[in-house]
Amino acid sequence: MKTTIFGVVAAAGIAALSLGIATQSFAHHSFASEFDVARPVEVQGRVTKVRFVNPHAWLFVDVRNPNGTTTNWGFEFGSPSVLAAKDISRTDVPIGSTVHIAGFRSKNTGPFGYAQEVDLPGGRKVQVGSAPDAPTLRRGRGQ
């Protein structure tokens, strides 16, 4: 009797765990749900904040506008583990350094985007986006 109850509880626990894992993977957003493929963006700015957190790293930069004002942009990168596999860490983008970011604007029309590629201080170019449904970026298409 105890063995049967233990088996039922163990099976229920495994099923619940499996359902939780499946739910988490389905709950993760796609590129197309948050970002606009028709609105590529390229900015150059000074790094103000670096967040290497799951599920995505974020980089915030102050970008000088044509009228002289400054806008703080936030860009979503891939996960910290994806970035580590590409040999990029938070120390590669120190606060105050200047970076060039190419990607796509968010659908919410705010100063947010998906970074597909970043030119790091020192000239190294790194692909930082990891969304499997993100399109290939053609640089030079503006803000």
Side-chain angles (χ1 to χ4, degrees):
M1 181 73 163
K2 285 184 179 180
T3 305
T4 304
I5 292 172
F6 177 76
V8 169
V9 170
I14 291 170
L17 179 60
S18 297
L19 180 60
I21 290 169
T23 302
Q24 284 179 355
S25 65
F26 285 122
H28 190 79
H29 69 86
S30 68
F31 169 87
S33 69
E34 290 192 37
F35 303 102
D36 191 346
V37 68
R39 298 180 67 210
V41 61
E42 287 190 46
V43 300
Q44 182 168 314
R46 290 186 153 284
V47 176
T48 60
K49 187 176 186 179
V50 181
R51 300 209 48 206
F52 271 51
V53 295
N54 283 314
H56 298 284
W58 281 83
L59 186 69
F60 295 84
V61 294
D62 276 344
V63 176
R64 191 170 191 84
N65 300 313
N67 66 3
T69 61
T70 301
T71 301
N72 189 253
W73 280 77
F75 284 92
E76 180 180 295
F77 282 26
S79 69
S81 61
V82 166
L83 297 174
K86 296 177 182 198
D87 196 30
I88 182 173
S89 70
R90 67 176 36 251
T91 60
D92 291 312
V93 283
I95 303 296
S97 64
T98 299
V99 295
H100 181 98
I101 299 173
F104 297 94
R105 290 190 75 152
S106 67
K107 287 184 174 182
N108 75 6
T109 70
F112 298 99
Y114 168 85
Q116 194 163 53
E117 195 174 84
V118 64
D119 297 351
L120 298 172
R124 186 172 137 213
K125 290 181 195 242
V126 181
Q127 182 184 351
V128 292
S130 63
D133 62 333
T136 301
L137 180 69
R138 291 179 296 185
R139 291 184 81 165
R141 294 176 64 191
Q143 189 174 345

